[in-house]
Amino acid sequence: MTMTLVIAGLLGAAFGAMLDRIGATNPNWIARMLTLTDTNLMKTILVAIGTASILIFAGQMYGLVDVGHMSVKAVHVGVLLGGAILGFGWAIAGYCPGTGLCGLAVGRIDALFFVAGGLVGAAGFMVSYPFWESIGFLNGEKWTLGAIPGADYPAAIPALQGDLAGIVMGAAFILIAILLPRRIVGRKAARAAA
């Protein structure tokens, strides 16, 4: 157990250092990405997601990754609403939960307020959980896009091989990152829109 925590801590620190290195702990870089004036960070994120998808789903196909370790989230109104809140918060603050913690670790004061706000929001959700559950916001099923051998979840498209779909989607993310221009919107147009 202790060795597992040490390894998790080392991997987390390495991941945080890489987030800082690529600029993800700087809200200005996030703003440039979201206004499409500099897509370097977006390209990095797309390549990372694509590579992880290919490795995980190929690992499942070849028996190297146990499907039982995959966490499938239930689909319900709460997930959609929470995702929208997260997206708006990311755009406004320039942080998501992971980059906020990394920003705090490198000494950004604005990240301190972001993390504190996130903790207050999480506490508010915990306290109000029974209410959201009672009105049906948290009722939903767990399912996957395609059928994954060994998974206990129904597939939205049963004829689709889920592992193969994950690999194709990962490759598509990498291809988009390669083809994406460095800047989609010029600096003058971005300033005028702001």
Side-chain angles (χ1 to χ4, degrees):
M1 179 66 165
T2 304
M3 187 52 117
T4 302
L5 292 175
V6 169
I7 291 171
L10 291 173
L11 289 174
F15 182 66
M18 292 311 298
L19 284 176
D20 186 53
R21 176 70 179 102
I22 65 170
T25 59
N26 185 334
N28 296 322
W29 279 103
I30 301 293
R32 289 182 195 128
M33 176 184 75
L34 295 175
T35 58
L36 304 177
T37 56
D38 189 329
T39 61
N40 283 334
L41 184 55
M42 185 183 304
K43 289 170 168 267
T44 303
I45 292 168
L46 288 169
V47 168
I49 293 170
T51 302
S53 294
I54 291 169
L55 291 174
I56 287 171
F57 287 108
Q60 283 182 181
M61 287 178 76
Y62 291 104
L64 301 172
V65 175
D66 183 4
V67 175
H69 293 294
M70 302 303 289
S71 176
V72 176
K73 305 297 181 216
V75 177
H76 50 72
V77 175
V79 169
L80 300 175
L81 181 61
I85 292 170
L86 176 76
F88 284 121
W90 190 20
I92 292 167
Y95 291 114
C96 70
T99 60
L101 288 173
C102 292
L104 182 61
V106 297
R108 292 194 60 99
I109 299 300
D110 54 346
L112 174 64
F113 292 101
F114 175 81
V115 171
L119 292 172
V120 168
F125 177 69
M126 286 172 37
V127 169
S128 64
Y129 186 89
F131 168 74
W132 297 113
E133 190 174 38
S134 71
I135 64 171
F137 260 43
L138 307 178
N139 298 332
E141 287 187 21
K142 294 184 176 190
W143 53 271
T144 57
L145 180 61
I148 297 178
D152 296 332
Y153 310 111
I157 308 169
L160 180 66
Q161 285 185 329
D163 289 333
L164 187 57
I167 291 170
V168 169
M169 286 174 33
F173 275 30
I174 293 171
L175 182 62
I176 290 168
I178 291 168
L179 298 176
L180 196 64
R182 182 165 184 244
R183 179 181 301 138
I184 296 173
V185 175
R187 294 193 194 281
K188 290 180 184 177
R191 275 193 292 251

